[in-house]
Amino acid sequence: MTAIRAGGHVRLRDYAVIGDGRSAALVAADGSVDWLGLPDLDSPSLFAAVLDPARGGRFLLEPEEPFTVARRYLPGTNVLETTFTTGRGTARVTDALTLDGGGALGPMRELQRRLDGVAGTVPMRWSVQPRFGYGARRPRFTSRGGVPVVTAGADALAVRAWDAGEPRCDGGAISGRLDLGQGRRALLAMPFAHQEPLVLPTRAECDARLERTIAVWRGWAAERRFGGMWRDAVLRSALALKLLIFAPSGAIAAAATCSLPEDVGGERNWDYRFCWVRDSVFTLDALLRLGCSAEADAFFWWLMHATQLTHPRLRVLYRLDGGARAPERTLPLAGYRGSGPVRAGNAAGAQLQLDTYGELLQTGWLYAGAIGRLDADIARRLAELADLVCTAWPRPDSGIWEVRSAPLHFTQSKMMCWIALDRAIDLSERGMIPDRGAARWRTARAQVRDFIETRCFSAERRCYTRSADSPELDAAVMLGLLYGYAPPGDPRMRATVDAIGRELRHGPYVARYSGEDGLAGTEGAFLACSFWLAECLARTGRLDEAVALMDELVGLANDVGLYSEEIDPDTGAFLGNLPQGLSHLALISAACAIGSAAGEAGR
């Protein structure tokens, strides 16, 4: 591929991600680190050129002459390898946010960029342009023993350069250049500290840390359980999800970025560096299926602790540290290709989304089934959530897609209320949660189903619709099949899957819904919905169609196997935040379901 940067921006498809369990960086195909929040994934950015090339800051590293690019992750790792080819030679860059011994999280954060001359001689240039606090905090450039150091308040970073040219400080940047010949190796390391001493590592320490990082990733990947079709895509999705796990708490971020647009030039720009209750079922199921028992336990307990802070009501999303407040504000950045406003925080956190109760009860039900029991306090709280659903389910809400129009009686929300009550009843019958409310839950469950079957099913269209008494469609209704509201043979649900395939699908792409949502502009096709459709096709016995669609969807990943939130069906351009956890979770779920269906069919 040829890396092209127009107006300071590359295509979103041209980004890869690296991370260390606390933060994550976007690396463009031209070698520029265009996004990095420090000290944590949800912290204000140090580099944000993806959102504002002029003010955001970056770590540039590229040949000084025209080049083409080939990229890959080192097998079984989240360590990125970029190979630049010019008219005079070939150079290779290896990028990682490093891990210390045994994968443990030490206090230091470190970005490493190793340069290797492969053939000929390649003139290379590099420039570290730190812009703390989304570009709002003025950096101070100093030197410690000849090593460039940059500080801003309680944050500090250094740039260590070995055989990479003499660093110079000017114009708000630390820069250098070198002629990288065949067989030569250079190293750039950027240690970072927050409210602690800044440690300047030696080259030997950096070299050893990078090798340990590669080994830690490979050891983790080797333990993953999946041997079916699309194994490589499933493993890459698992590695992408591991990058979104905030190791200090066990939470999993929806994405590593904020405000990448769903509509270029439009206002659909959101901060996804939070953990959504909506994603919890797919998250726990994927972790359990892939043999990630430690991550599954950490995530479940984080989810239980976070939701306890707002019990019995649920927030739509929680901060990675478990906090419930996520006030939305506008940042003074231009936005990706002029897509503003740029937002940090997410006002959807304060919405009423009734589906979250079903997703939390379903997650508790899955966890109980996996380990055979529930903690007494958690059991009590799950029962109290079911009590709340008995009174809350008749209310209109903002739905799973967090529309900013008036609340409606969304079908998927009602189905998830039914799931919440059904799972509570099942857990009580197995003695896993208190059963004193079971009679009330059964009554409410019947009422919810009656509402869905009379108000949310269109006799004229012969399918479930987006909301009560509406003719519109919603791909999220497929979750009613995936979570068990209706069995695979149910004619109404099967007809709904068919209708979604006819009206919301365009090639492999599936849109979220038809109808208004209170926002200007349009959006792309939502990748998770496409994977949900593939899974529904498999579950309803249409295995060949499911495999064909899945093959197409796997081919939509970028060159290093990552997915954003959405894709423009007309151009194939990535849209929205990335890497998008729900897209990768839906891929894993679909691959597992199709594999099970194929096994049952004797294939």
Side-chain angles (χ1 to χ4, degrees), residues 15-69:
Y15 282 108
V17 64
I18 56 176
D20 63 0
R22 285 175 302 193
S23 191
L26 291 189
V27 185
D30 63 2
S32 178
V33 179
D34 284 354
W35 176 262
L36 176 59
L38 286 172
D40 299 321
L41 189 148
D42 56 354
S43 297
S45 62
L46 174 70
F47 302 135
V50 65
L51 294 175
D52 192 327
R55 297 189 58 193
R58 68 176 54 160
F59 189 154
L60 178 148
L61 174 59
E62 65 181 2
E64 291 181 328
E65 56 192 28
F67 57 87
T68 58
V69 174

Side-chain angles (χ1 to χ4, degrees), residues 85-257:
T85 301
T86 74
R88 291 198 286 161
T90 301
R92 182 171 297 137
V93 175
T94 303
D95 287 320
L97 285 171
T98 57
L99 305 169
D100 219 324
L105 292 176
M108 186 179 72
R109 279 76 159 168
E110 179 185 72
L111 170 63
Q112 277 199 42
R113 315 199 72 183
R114 188 173 71 190
L115 297 81
D116 286 289
V118 178
T121 298
V122 180
M124 303 285 293
R125 62 188 170 208
W126 57 269
S127 178
V128 180
Q129 303 161 24
R131 302 292 184 267
F132 296 86
Y134 303 114
R137 295 165 57 200
R138 184 184 299 274
R140 178 172 175 262
F141 291 79
T142 60
S143 177
R144 186 195 300 177
V147 177
V149 173
V150 189
T151 59
D155 295 325
L157 66 85
V159 177
R160 302 233 63 184
W162 291 281
D163 298 323
E166 188 66 27
R168 64 183 187 278
C169 297
D170 61 80
I174 302 167
S175 305
R177 70 163 310 280
L178 68 153
D179 292 313
L180 189 63
Q182 182 176 347
R184 181 179 172 188
R185 171 168 289 182
L187 180 63
L188 293 164
M190 191 191 79
F192 178 91
H194 173 70
Q195 295 182 337
E196 60 205 10
L198 178 65
V199 177
L200 301 183
T202 66
R203 182 168 189 172
E205 289 169 338
C206 287
D207 287 339
R209 196 153 37 239
L210 181 57
E211 293 306 316
R212 284 198 298 269
T213 299
I214 294 169
V216 167
W217 282 121
R218 284 182 171 158
W220 185 85
E223 295 175 352
R224 305 288 63 83
R225 295 198 307 256
F226 185 81
M229 296 180 282
W230 312 291
R231 185 181 186 280
D232 289 346
V234 169
L235 180 57
R236 177 49 52 195
S237 290
L239 284 160
L241 290 170
K242 183 67 170 172
L243 285 177
L244 297 176
I245 295 177
F246 184 58
S249 70
I252 301 182
T257 56

Side-chain angles (χ1 to χ4, degrees), residues 159-480:
V159 177
R160 302 233 63 184
W162 291 281
D163 298 323
E166 188 66 27
R168 64 183 187 278
C169 297
D170 61 80
I174 302 167
S175 305
R177 70 163 310 280
L178 68 153
D179 292 313
L180 189 63
Q182 182 176 347
R184 181 179 172 188
R185 171 168 289 182
L187 180 63
L188 293 164
M190 191 191 79
F192 178 91
H194 173 70
Q195 295 182 337
E196 60 205 10
L198 178 65
V199 177
L200 301 183
T202 66
R203 182 168 189 172
E205 289 169 338
C206 287
D207 287 339
R209 196 153 37 239
L210 181 57
E211 293 306 316
R212 284 198 298 269
T213 299
I214 294 169
V216 167
W217 282 121
R218 284 182 171 158
W220 185 85
E223 295 175 352
R224 305 288 63 83
R225 295 198 307 256
F226 185 81
M229 296 180 282
W230 312 291
R231 185 181 186 280
D232 289 346
V234 169
L235 180 57
R236 177 49 52 195
S237 290
L239 284 160
L241 290 170
K242 183 67 170 172
L243 285 177
L244 297 176
I245 295 177
F246 184 58
S249 70
I252 301 182
T257 56
C258 74
S259 276
L260 295 183
E262 299 172 11
D263 176 25
V264 174
E267 65 173 328
R268 298 168 184 260
N269 318 308
W270 317 112
D271 189 349
Y272 273 18
R273 298 169 298 164
F274 301 94
C275 187
W276 266 256
V277 177
R278 170 199 67 191
D279 300 343
S280 61
V281 178
F282 282 109
T283 299
L284 188 69
D285 187 56
L287 293 174
L288 291 172
R289 285 178 181 273
L290 296 175
C292 305
S293 57
E295 291 85 355
D297 280 336
F299 172 70
F300 181 76
W301 283 101
W302 171 86
L303 184 64
M304 292 299 104
H305 286 306
T307 55
Q308 184 177 24
L309 298 177
T310 59
H311 185 76
R313 300 193 178 276
L314 295 178
R315 301 282 287 189
V316 173
L317 53 91
Y318 293 85
R319 297 197 312 268
L320 302 184
D321 64 3
R325 293 190 69 253
E328 189 172 289
R329 68 190 192 278
T330 298
L331 303 176
L333 297 171
Y336 178 78
R337 292 174 57 189
S339 304
V342 173
R343 297 179 175 96
N346 199 310
Q351 289 183 341
L352 173 65
Q353 293 180 26
L354 292 173
D355 65 291
T356 57
Y357 295 91
E359 281 130 9
L360 190 64
L361 263 295
Q362 177 84 351
T363 300
W365 181 77
L366 284 174
Y367 188 78
I371 70 168
R373 60 181 178 81
L374 284 172
D375 175 83
D377 181 63
I378 290 174
R380 174 187 57 78
R381 286 169 48 206
L382 294 179
E384 290 169 354
L385 287 175
D387 290 338
L388 180 62
V389 171
C390 289
T391 59
W393 78 262
R395 297 177 60 186
D397 72 333
S398 296
I400 188 174
W401 303 129
E402 301 170 355
V403 298
R404 301 209 172 185
S405 51
L408 293 171
H409 292 287
F410 286 104
T411 301
Q412 189 265 349
S413 294
K414 305 305 183 191
M415 287 181 172
M416 294 310 297
C417 287
W418 187 93
I419 290 290
L421 296 165
D422 186 73
R423 297 305 179 251
I425 292 166
D426 182 70
L427 289 170
S428 71
E429 289 174 347
R430 289 191 280 159
M432 290 190 175
I433 68 173
D435 64 355
R436 59 181 176 271
R440 186 183 180 205
W441 302 340
R442 290 187 177 89
T443 298
R445 182 180 62 174
Q447 292 170 341
V448 176
R449 181 171 285 276
D450 181 68
F451 183 93
I452 294 169
E453 299 303 322
T454 57
R455 298 280 305 280
C456 300
F457 182 84
S458 170
E460 180 180 353
R461 303 206 63 190
R462 292 186 294 180
C463 66
Y464 294 109
T465 56
R466 183 186 180 203
S467 60
D469 309 317
S470 165
E472 298 156 354
L473 294 180
D474 184 352
V477 174
M478 290 188 289
L479 296 176

